Amino acid sequence: MADEVKAAEKPVKTPSLALAAILFILEAIMIIFTVRWGLDLHITLMLGAIIVGAIGVFYLGLPYAKLEKGIIDGMMQGMQACLILYMVGPLIGTWITAGVVPSMIYYGLSILSPSIFLFATLIICSIVSLATGTSWGTSGTVGIALMGIALGLGVPKPLAAGVIISGAYFGDKMSPLSDTTNLAPAVSGDDLFQHIRAMCWTTGPTYVIVAAITIFIGFKYSGGHLDMAKIQALQAFMKAEFWISPITLLAPLVVIILSAMGKPALPGLFAGILVAAGFGLIHGVSPKDILDVMQNGYHPAISAEIANAAEDAAALGKLLAGNSVLSGLDPKVAVEAAKDIVSLMERGGLQSMNWTISLIFCAFSFGFSMEVTGCLKVLLGAIIKPIKSVGGLITAVILSCFICDLFLGDQYLSIAMPGTMYRTTFQEKGLHPRMLSRSLEDCGTLVSVLVPWNTCGAYHTTVLGVPTIQYIPYAFLNYLNPIIAIIMTYMGIGIAWSGKNGEPVIARKRPAELCD
């Protein structure tokens, strides 16, 4: 009976390269127009999924049930990211309410100057991300504070966001605590610490270049006028609206310590929420308000009231005079600072992550419709076919990771899929697995945040308040690292071959004694 059913099934066609390319180009055109029109990408991605799915079912003969199951199974692979998002939302809300983020901004405005801000931002985010193993946690906490400091120092938001992302992803990429740093060697057959050593060849020089860029750009702001009135006004509003104290920094310290101890991300983030909620309760925030902030985010009170009174001079003067911390401020500067505080601090909460999560689901619908119909495999196969050199192979891996970042919408999948595809090829050519694992992270991890509909791009746009397309030019590490990796390989630098006992042998060409 089973054989009869199998015989009756219509065979599934393999899509041609031309068809896969047409679908790729069509979706790219739709995305370009959507971005130009200033619209969200959700519907465009869903339309792409519908078109690919329809071709899969009606032209390729793919059973609809298989298509639907493939998309759902793909979405399940992104569930961990969604759960982290739903934990980060309440974390941001409670950290703002308890004064954690405001304290970071307050003290940062006191010690940082425009000339060293970008370099200091790169270093701070790198250290935090190395210690925690998470770029998301770094950007959603320290990153928000640094965005506030940039506001006070007159540093453009896209520039600050790009440098924050560069530092956060350096730590995420190099930390042994990072999930991507463990995933890449796992799918390529490499050892974790061999993988990290291999990344030093490409990421190390890139990081030095990025550090030099931040120092050079910092000189542009060193001779500029520092608006002390604006900085003092921002600090005054911080004091008026929040509890400002170094003690609040215990909340991020707890998260960092738990991460360093190897604890899972979700319990670590929840511990940070509990500590911040405790600070809030001690300083008079009711349990009801804390739960509301965790659900809906923080909404400034004093700052919003003053910002709304901008057109009523009498009401504005009365509000400023009635608050001892704000009474000495110039009304015009006070209104500007109040609006900045509202823009910066009105965020967080579980609900704030729904836009990002819905974008993730839409991206996964399109990406896995391409994967299940075989279109993605055909595209990647076409990349592999003409490869003849080590440089070409590394370029192919990086390009494949980029395509997966575009189509699958998730950095984990952009590492796992090419890693599985290329593993045998690297073995056949005698290359050490660390070459594959390094390349997977050089692009799969870093480029994900440069794609607006990717989980990483969508998340960072949400928490930093800067559209992906605006911070891309300043996320120096993320787009320079893949380029430098390709150049270095073609130059024969840092190429590792598999030794007789599986050890890495660094040489420009495969040593004769290792050849069969």
Side-chain angles (χ1 to χ4, degrees):
M1 183 68 181
D3 293 336
E4 292 176 5
V5 172
K6 187 175 181 180
E9 288 179 353
K10 186 179 179 181
V12 180
K13 297 180 184 176
T14 299
S16 65
L17 177 60
L19 175 61
I22 289 170
L23 291 173
F24 175 88
I25 294 169
L26 176 63
E27 183 65 16
I29 292 171
M30 291 167 62
I31 287 170
I32 289 170
F33 275 100
T34 304
V35 172
R36 287 191 61 184
W37 292 333
L39 301 175
D40 290 333
L41 291 166
H42 300 61
I43 301 301
T44 300
L45 292 167
M46 287 300 295
L47 285 174
I50 292 169
I51 292 170
V52 174
I55 289 173
V57 172
F58 296 111
Y59 176 69
L60 299 176
L62 180 71
Y64 176 78
K66 185 176 180 180
L67 173 69
E68 186 180 75
K69 185 178 185 301
I71 293 173
I72 293 172
D73 289 346
M75 286 181 176
M76 290 304 296
Q77 297 182 47
M79 278 297 105
Q80 185 184 33
C82 292
L83 288 173
I84 290 174
L85 281 169
Y86 272 142
M87 192 64 73
V88 169
L91 179 84
I92 293 171
T94 53
W95 280 24
I96 292 174
T97 303
V100 179
V101 173
S103 292
M104 292 180 186
I105 297 173
Y106 183 91
Y107 295 118
L109 287 171
S110 299
I111 63 175
L112 290 178
S113 68
S115 61
I116 66 166
F117 172 75
L118 294 176
F119 179 67
T121 294
L122 180 70
I123 298 299
I124 290 168
C125 290
S126 299
I127 292 171
V128 173
S129 191
L130 274 169
T132 61
T134 168
S135 56
W136 287 24
T138 301
S139 298
T141 53
V142 177
I144 293 176
L146 289 166
M147 290 298 292
I149 297 169
L151 185 69
L153 299 179
V155 177
K157 289 175 66 176
L159 175 57
V163 175
I164 288 167
I165 288 167
S166 292
Y169 272 81
F170 169 78
D172 190 341
K173 187 174 189 282
M174 301 300 290
S175 173
L177 301 175
S178 168
D179 42 13
T180 58
T181 310
N182 283 274
L183 175 62
V187 298
S188 62
D190 194 12
D191 169 74
L192 172 62
F193 290 100
Q194 281 287 358
H195 168 59
I196 293 174
R197 292 188 193 101
M199 289 194 293
C200 292
W201 283 93
T202 55
T203 309
T206 307
Y207 192 80
V208 172
I209 292 170
V210 173
I213 291 172
T214 59
I215 293 171
F216 177 77
I217 296 177
F219 289 148
K220 176 182 177 181
Y221 297 98
S222 61
H225 173 65
L226 193 62
D227 192 349
M228 290 306 300
K230 175 76 170 290
I231 291 174
Q232 290 169 1
L234 287 170
Q235 289 181 318
F237 273 96
M238 295 290 179
K239 271 195 167 183
E241 187 137 357
F242 305 100
W243 176 46
I244 304 298
S245 170
I247 296 174
T248 62
L249 302 183
L250 284 173
L253 187 61
V254 166
V255 177
I256 291 173
I257 290 173
L258 290 174
S259 297
M261 291 171 62
K263 303 300 180 184
L266 288 172
L269 293 172
F270 186 64
I273 293 173
L274 290 179
V275 173
F279 286 148
L281 291 171
I282 291 171
H283 287 272
V285 182
S286 70
K288 174 181 176 294
D289 288 340
I290 288 176
L291 290 174
D292 182 62
V293 164
M294 291 174 67
Q295 174 75 8
N296 301 306
Y298 182 80
H299 299 280
I302 297 172
S303 304
E305 193 175 10
I306 290 175
N308 293 333
E311 304 300 323
D312 189 337
L316 177 60
K318 186 176 179 181
L319 286 171
L320 292 174
N323 191 303
S324 59
V325 180
L326 305 175
S327 58
L329 296 178
D330 176 86
K332 183 178 179 181
V333 176
V335 169
E336 290 179 1
K339 290 180 178 178
D340 288 338
I341 294 295
V342 172
S343 173
L344 186 66
M345 297 299 178
E346 194 169 63
R347 63 182 65 237
L350 183 143
Q351 293 297 329
S352 70
M353 295 297 163
N354 283 332
W355 183 93
T356 305
I357 289 173
S358 61
L359 181 61
I360 290 171
F361 283 140
C362 293
F364 275 33
S365 296
F366 173 68
F368 279 95
S369 63
M370 287 287 288
E371 200 275 332
V372 175
T373 55
C375 292
L376 189 62
K377 186 176 181 180
V378 169
L379 284 172
L380 296 181
I383 296 172
I384 299 174
K385 193 173 182 180
I387 295 172
K388 295 181 179 179
S389 66
V390 176
L393 183 58
I394 297 301
T395 303
V397 173
I398 288 174
L399 185 57
S400 299
C401 290
F402 177 62
I403 290 174
C404 288
D405 269 325
L406 285 175
F407 281 99
L408 298 182
D410 184 75
Q411 65 177 349
Y412 304 110
L413 299 173
S414 69
I415 291 172
M417 184 171 288
T420 304
M421 285 182 56
Y422 287 98
R423 184 169 176 167
T424 303
T425 305
F426 272 70
Q427 290 173 351
E428 291 172 350
K429 292 188 176 292
L431 287 163
H432 194 274
R434 68 187 245 171
M435 290 293 293
L436 174 56
S437 64
R438 181 184 82 185
S439 302
L440 294 174
E441 285 230 77
D442 282 340
C443 184
T445 298
L446 294 181
V447 173
S448 59
V449 73
L450 306 182
V451 180
W453 56 90
N454 191 287
T455 54
C456 299
Y459 170 79
H460 283 80
T461 290
T462 301
V463 299
L464 297 178
V466 180
T468 311
I469 199 71
Q470 291 184 17
Y471 68 61
I472 284 177
Y474 307 107
F476 304 112
L477 183 90
N478 299 71
Y479 62 78
L480 286 178
N481 200 150
I483 296 170
I484 289 173
I486 292 171
I487 293 172
M488 289 183 66
T489 305
Y490 273 108
M491 292 174 66
I493 300 172
I495 298 177
W497 305 90
S498 288
K500 293 182 178 180
N501 297 314
E503 75 282 4
V505 177
I506 306 297
R508 186 183 184 90
K509 294 183 178 180
R510 190 179 185 186
E513 64 270 18
L514 299 181
C515 297
D516 295 331

